[in-house]
Amino acid sequence: SEAIAAIPRSYQRVAYGLYGLGIQKDFFEGAPQLEQTLPDPPNDVLDGSIVFEAKDLAFAYPNGKNVLQNISFQIRKGESIALVGHNGSGKTTLIKLLLGLYTQTGGMLTYCGQAYTPERSQALSEKIGSFFQDFYLFHLTVGENVGAGDVKNIDNRPLIETALRAGGAER
């Protein structure tokens, strides 16, 4: 019976591996080719200046399900914030909007006073790191998994080590 029970477990491992390969393929094939880079906030953006701002921000999925409505906030340089809420309340969706992974369906979203555009959003994602709860580690080394966030620097060991230190993951 143990040998028979191992068959479905083996199938699950193969299915999960194929799922992971599909994610890797989509990631590497869909990685945006940026023609524009986003500079650091201008030198005149001092501590306390507004870096991110949302006014009446809204987001709905293509199926019409509204997730965020009338969200307004400001995030200032040097400020630490926390998003707290129940599952499904829109925390991850809001972060994906800030990263430029989603496009708002209403309202306004700005970075250093300039509206988000697809090009600016892609360039902004080079400056911000994120790690979501529904993650998938690629079948790569730790360094390659970290480097996959910036594919053109996937082999840049000093940069990867800096990212690991900054993220508290050096050990």
Side-chain angles (χ1 to χ4, degrees):
S1 71
E2 204 170 303
I4 292 172
I7 293 171
R9 283 193 303 271
S10 295
Y11 175 75
Q12 283 180 319
R13 283 193 293 268
V14 168
Y16 188 70
L18 291 173
Y19 167 75
L21 286 173
I23 289 174
Q24 290 178 43
K25 177 182 174 281
D26 292 345
F27 175 81
F28 286 108
E29 287 179 354
Q33 300 300 314
L34 300 176
E35 296 177 13
Q36 173 187 4
T37 58
L38 188 67
D40 289 325
N43 289 335
D44 60 349
V45 175
L46 304 173
D47 285 338
S49 295
I50 298 168
V51 177
F52 291 100
E53 184 171 15
K55 291 182 183 174
D56 295 321
L57 187 66
F59 178 79
Y61 286 104
N63 66 7
K65 179 182 177 189
N66 287 323
V67 180
L68 300 173
Q69 298 177 50
N70 303 318
I71 304 291
S72 296
F73 61 86
Q74 295 176 339
I75 301 174
R76 298 177 183 282
K77 183 175 180 183
E79 197 171 41
S80 295
I81 63 163
L83 295 175
V84 180
H86 295 286
N87 287 345
S89 63
K91 302 178 301 292
T92 300
T93 301
L94 179 58
I95 296 300
K96 288 181 178 182
L97 284 165
L98 288 174
L99 292 172
L101 300 174
Y102 291 166
T103 302
Q104 77 263 20
T105 55
M108 182 182 70
L109 190 56
T110 64
Y111 172 73
C112 293
Q114 296 183 344
Y116 274 48
T117 63
E119 297 79 23
R120 288 185 61 76
S121 298
Q122 288 176 357
L124 181 60
S125 70
E126 281 192 344
K127 300 231 175 258
I128 299 175
S130 60
F131 191 76
F132 296 102
Q133 64 189 23
D134 55 344
F135 70 94
Y136 182 85
L137 284 176
F138 297 135
H139 294 282
L140 305 169
T141 67
V142 171
E144 289 168 332
N145 269 280
V146 172
D150 186 5
V151 177
K152 67 182 177 289
N153 285 304
I154 198 164
D155 293 324
N156 186 335
R157 188 172 178 96
L159 189 60
I160 291 169
E161 289 172 356
T162 299
L164 288 168
R165 275 192 301 281
E170 187 176 25
R171 286 184 63 207

